[in-house]
Amino acid sequence: MTNVETGRLSVGDCVVRKSFPPITRHLLALYCGASGDHNPIHVDIDFAKKAGFSDVFAHGMLAMAYLGQALTDGVKASRVLSFSTRFASVTPIGARLTCEGHVTEFLQHAGRECMKLALSAKDEAGDVKLAGEAIVALN
């Protein structure tokens, strides 16, 4: 039983934490096929260089999917009442993302006892690639 299920949480507690393997070109190609996002900036290095980047980079929605997976690994999906994100910076090939969620407050939402989480996806250097928040029901 997790601290979320027992309700033994405090502001600042980390309730979401998951690290992912490095982002590879192969993964980006697979993500293109699965998502239907075939923007060449993510798989064609010549296109990326013409656009001013040194290489291709990950889809923002891939980082968001990682953060969503980390969130629902940390709390039951049925308790997630809202989930929002904003893209903070480009995620390059080879980045190893670690996703975290920390309790920022306890509140009433839609008639339920809830907690608000500050979410982030950071690379191994601590550079924030994606930031967001979630409202999670406590019961």
Side-chain angles (χ1 to χ4, degrees):
M1 186 172 281
T2 67
N3 283 343
V4 174
E5 292 166 332
T6 62
R8 286 183 265 160
L9 293 168
S10 300
V11 170
D13 284 353
C14 181
V15 296
V16 173
R17 180 168 173 75
K18 184 168 186 166
S19 295
F20 292 87
I23 293 174
T24 63
R25 293 177 197 286
H26 183 242
L27 176 66
L28 294 184
L30 291 173
Y31 188 80
C32 280
S35 70
D37 181 349
H38 299 279
N39 185 329
I41 199 98
H42 301 297
V43 290
D44 183 336
I45 191 169
D46 293 331
F47 185 91
K49 286 184 176 182
K50 284 180 186 172
F53 296 94
S54 61
D55 202 344
V56 298
F57 55 88
H59 304 71
M61 294 302 287
L62 176 60
M64 186 174 176
Y66 281 178
L67 191 56
Q69 181 183 1
L71 175 61
T72 55
D73 282 358
V75 300
K76 289 182 180 177
S78 62
R79 291 185 176 188
V80 177
L81 304 180
S82 72
F83 172 54
S84 62
T85 63
R86 66 176 175 78
F87 303 114
S89 63
V90 168
T91 303
I93 293 289
R96 294 175 182 262
L97 296 182
T98 296
C99 299
E100 292 183 337
H102 294 86
V103 178
T104 59
E105 68 176 288
F106 295 95
L107 66 153
Q108 288 280 325
H109 180 84
R112 298 174 77 177
E113 295 288 327
C114 296
M115 63 180 166
K116 183 183 283 186
L117 302 177
L119 303 169
S120 66
K122 298 177 184 176
D123 67 11
E124 60 277 14
D127 187 29
V128 176
K129 303 302 180 183
L130 190 70
E133 68 177 36
I135 304 290
V136 177
L138 294 172
N139 50 37

